Each structure stands twice: as C-alpha cells, then as structure tokens.
Amino acid sequence: MDTFRFAGPLIRLLEPERAHNLTLWCLKTGVVPSQKPVISPLLKTSLWGREFSNPLGLAAGFDKNAEVVQPMLDQGFGFVEVGSITPRAQPGNPRPRIFRLAEDQAVINRMGFNNGGAEAACERLQKLKSEGYKGLLGVNLGKNKDTAVAVDDYKKGAQLLAPYADYMVINVSSPNTPGLRALQGRAELQVLIGGVQETLRQNLGDKAPPLVLKIAPDLTEADKEDIASVALELKLDGLTVTNTTIDRPDSLQSVHRNEAGGLSGAPLFEASTKVLGDIYRLTEGKIPLIGVGGISSGVQAYAKIRAGASLVQLYSALVYGGPALIPLVLTELVQLLTRDGFSSVTEAVGADHR
Ligand SMILES: Cc1cc2nc3c(=O)[nH]c(=O)nc-3n(C[C@H](O)[C@H](O)[C@H](O)COP(=O)(O)O)c2cc1C
C-alpha cells in the first residue's frame, strides 16, 4: 500500500522544514515501511568499478547528516548521496528557508548548508559501514560560510569522509553560500580539484573513491567549456549536472516564486538537461555524468540518460509524489529501454548524441 497517498497531504499541511524533519524522524524510527525493489537486468549498471542495482539515486540535501541512508536505500534507490557536509557544524540561514511551489511542482530553498559537521557525519558513516548497507553511498562536501580558503574545507571533508564513500562530490554550485559558485571558474577549479585529488591520493592511494564535481545550471557557454576542459585535463571521475537554479522562469505560478534561493523540481528539468547534454558533448562522453534536476518520471530519467547521464538523481519530486515515485520511475524506465531495444542502461547513455 502506498502510505504516502494518505500521509502526503497531511505532511504537506506542515511548514516545509517541519515536514522534512518529521519525514526524517519517521524514516529513522522505522515507521516508514520499505518498498519492494524494482529488479531488472536492464537497470543494473557498473560505474567506477561499482555495481549499481539501478541508476536512480537520492540527490544531496535530503539527508544532509547521513541519518537515513539505509531507510532511503530500502525505498528502492540504487544509491544515496548524503550532504552537503561542511567541516564544522553550522546552523544555515534563518527560517523559513524552504518553500513549496505546489502549482509549479517545484521547491525553492535557501538552506545555506545547515548540517552537523564532518565529525558527526563521520561517526554515523563509520557505524553504517561496520553494520553494512545494501546499495551505494555518495558523500557531498561543502564549505563553511566563514571559511576564506575554500579548498581547505574540501580537503578536510575529503580527509575525514572519503574512507566511507563509494564516491565523493565537491559541491561548488549551491546558490546559498556567498561566493561558492565563483569556484566554478577555470583557475579556481584547478586549485580545488587538484587539491582534493592530492589529499585523496595521499590518504587512500589507489583505494581513494572517485571524485565528482557538482555544477550549477546557470552557466555561460564559456563557463561550460572551462569546466569540461579542466575536468578532462585533471581526469575528474565524474560531474553532477545540475544543482538548483537562481533563474525564475516566467511560467512560475506560485506566490513563492520570488523567494531568494535555488529553484528545483519540474521547472528545472529542461534547463538542467540542456546543460547535461552540453557537458556530455564538451567532454566527448569521456567523463561519467550524474543527471539531476526536475526528474519525476521514467520518461524524464530516460531523457537524462539519453542526454548523457550514466546515473540520475531526484529530490524535489519526492515532496509531491512520495516514495511510490521511485518504483514508478524505474518501472517506466525499464519499459522505455525495452521499447527502444536497449539491453542495458549503459547502452542508452548519450544515445541522443549518436
Ligand atoms: C531543500 C533542498 C536542499 C538541497 N541541499 C543540497 C545540498 O546540501 N547540496 C547539494 O549539492 N544539493 C542540494 N540540493 C540540490 C539537489 O541535490 C538537486 O541538485 C536539485 O534539487 C535538483 O534536483 P530535483 O529537481 O530533483 O530536486 C538541495 C535541494 C533541495 C530541494
């Protein structure tokens, strides 16, 4: 039974951040039942030497403190990305800082990396690893608001958390930390990626997890070219495309449309998929991409895969569709792959470019 069909409208009566905290509590205490996974050989995919049971993951920001990794894997995701985690705990921006744009099937957030810090996350991930978990885990790193030299924070995060991650993400694309997105420039990226790669090599050698960079959708052609060329030059393992947008499309209906922060959900789909396709082309399909932004159906997951994504993620659609969305997306994806004669997700990656 889809409990969310009944619980969802009630949860949505609550202020969004309270609703989210209640959801986390329900997941932590085991009130939310697991869902039957969608198992298909078509969905299995191998990336970075890791086996994903399916290519659909939970995007960063839902589980900022790595508290509900196993419960979210039990909802049917192939992987869960925790964070963004900063070295020191910080409160984030004043509330209210999340807004539902229900008419637009969208969300605006200006959380500002509220999280319990890397050491608390480390303890949880240590415990999780020792207990064993079914699925794969991404760890997304951010910087503290008051840190002047950004690379130091990403190095600290990598040093502490890399031993527990199946992949690591450098997040330089949240619109809610002043100056963060300026780190997407060519010179800044070279220092940042080079620095974190060095830390990973020194600490873990060939056991270091793959390193991924998460980028914004609001980029010029020159920005995208710079990112692609640095990624190729430094042999980055992956790019996550994209974070939320600071753009406000004219189509938005909700009274919250002019709230400051990053917009996610349905209105982000087209713009983020366009950037995904551009980055795939500019990196010549040589760097694995994680496609995220506005996915709420198998059709959209498939569109991201065809545009170049090896893996996909979602977050905002869960606010409106609840966990039942996960098997729906995956079932529809299997149907689309079958219809088009693909025998695996991997075969369909970048199909639109061929
Ligand atoms: C409330 C909220 C908080 C988020 N926090 C983070 C974060 O801490 N780090 C990050 O990299 N992305 C964060 N994101 C962005 C998502 O990971 C994702 O890139 C974006 O929402 C687009 O996907 P969606 O349309 O499926 O939500 C957040 C998104 C939302 C809605």
Side-chain angles (χ1 to χ4, degrees):
M1 188 185 66
D2 174 13
T3 328
F4 191 81
R5 251 181 61 207
F6 303 102
L10 294 177
I11 294 174
R12 280 197 302 275
L13 289 176
L14 297 173
E15 184 274 323
E17 189 160 351
R18 277 177 183 270
H20 184 65
N21 290 338
L22 176 65
T23 304
L24 290 179
W25 182 84
C26 289
L27 286 160
K28 274 191 281 191
T29 52
V31 175
V32 185
S34 306
Q35 297 197 97
K36 196 165 165 273
V38 179
I39 297 169
S40 163
L42 274 82
L43 293 175
K44 282 192 188 158
T45 181
S46 169
L47 187 66
W48 305 311
R50 284 137 171 92
E51 304 297 326
F52 291 76
S53 61
N54 73 65
L56 180 63
L58 175 63
F62 182 96
D63 188 7
K64 284 183 184 273
N65 292 310
E67 294 172 301
V68 294
V69 174
Q70 189 60 60
M72 287 313 276
L73 289 169
D74 290 342
Q75 294 304 311
F77 283 118
F79 64 110
V80 164
E81 186 171 312
V82 299
S84 294
I85 299 165
T86 56
R88 284 168 288 118
Q90 62 178 29
N93 289 322
R95 291 189 189 190
R97 50 191 182 177
I98 319 182
F99 304 87
R100 288 187 206 100
L101 285 72
E103 300 89 332
D104 308 298
Q105 296 287 292
V107 172
I108 289 178
N109 93 83
R110 51 170 179 269
M111 303 299 283
F113 290 165
N114 57 308
N115 78 108
E119 270 167 31
C122 183
E123 276 175 31
R124 282 196 201 99
L125 294 179
Q126 237 163 5
K127 186 159 174 281
L128 190 70
K129 190 171 180 178
S130 68
E131 289 167 356
Y133 55 93
K134 287 187 229 80
L136 293 166
L137 171 72
V139 177
N140 178 310
L141 303 175
K143 72 172 270 291
N144 281 109
K145 189 178 177 185
D146 56 1
T147 295
V149 184
V151 64
D152 292 348
D153 271 11
Y154 292 95
K155 282 183 176 174
K156 277 183 202 154
Q159 194 168 357
L160 211 56
L161 301 174
Y164 309 102
D166 292 306
Y167 70 93
M168 300 289 297
V169 182
I170 302 179
N171 175 18
V172 286
S173 46
S174 290
N176 305 311
T177 294
L180 192 81
R181 286 170 310 140
L183 298 172
Q184 293 173 112
R186 176 183 277 274
E188 290 80 0
L189 282 180
Q190 271 163 337
V191 172
L192 194 60
I193 298 168
V196 176
Q197 282 177 330
E198 171 92 31
T199 300
L200 290 174
R201 249 193 314 269
Q202 279 172 357
N203 283 279
L204 295 168
D206 56 10
K207 291 205 173 62
L211 185 65
V212 173
L213 179 78
K214 183 166 179 178
I215 63 172
D218 314 302
L219 298 169
T220 64
E221 291 309 310
D223 292 337
K224 286 182 267 190
E225 282 166 22
D226 279 350
I227 289 169
S229 88
V230 173
L232 286 168
E233 180 194 325
L234 296 183
K235 298 194 165 55
L236 195 63
D237 300 295
L239 285 152
T240 301
V241 190
T242 69
N243 214 309
T244 57
T245 179
I246 54 167
D247 190 28
R248 293 292 181 271
D250 290 338
S251 62
L252 295 180
Q253 299 295 315
S254 167
V255 291
H256 297 304
R257 63 182 180 269
N258 292 322
E259 289 293 345
L263 173 73
S264 56
L268 175 60
F269 177 77
E270 247 171 66
S272 75
T273 309
K274 163 83 170 58
V275 179
L276 178 70
D278 290 346
I279 294 289
Y280 185 84
R281 181 174 40 80
L282 291 166
T283 52
E284 298 157 22
K286 288 179 181 155
I287 298 183
L289 306 178
I290 303 180
V292 53
I295 296 178
S296 65
S297 69
V299 171
Q300 289 165 323
Y302 185 51
K304 298 258 191 213
I305 291 165
R306 292 190 61 113
S310 294
L311 300 170
V312 292
Q313 293 176 319
L314 59 79
Y315 177 172
S316 299
L318 284 179
V319 172
Y320 301 104
L325 202 72
I326 303 158
L328 284 180
V329 169
L330 290 171
T331 307
E332 198 176 21
L333 181 57
V334 171
Q335 286 163 357
L336 293 164
L337 289 165
T338 309
R339 180 196 70 187
D340 292 351
F342 292 113
S343 58
S344 70
V345 170
T346 320
E347 264 183 34
V349 174
D352 285 347
H353 301 267
R354 295 193 278 274

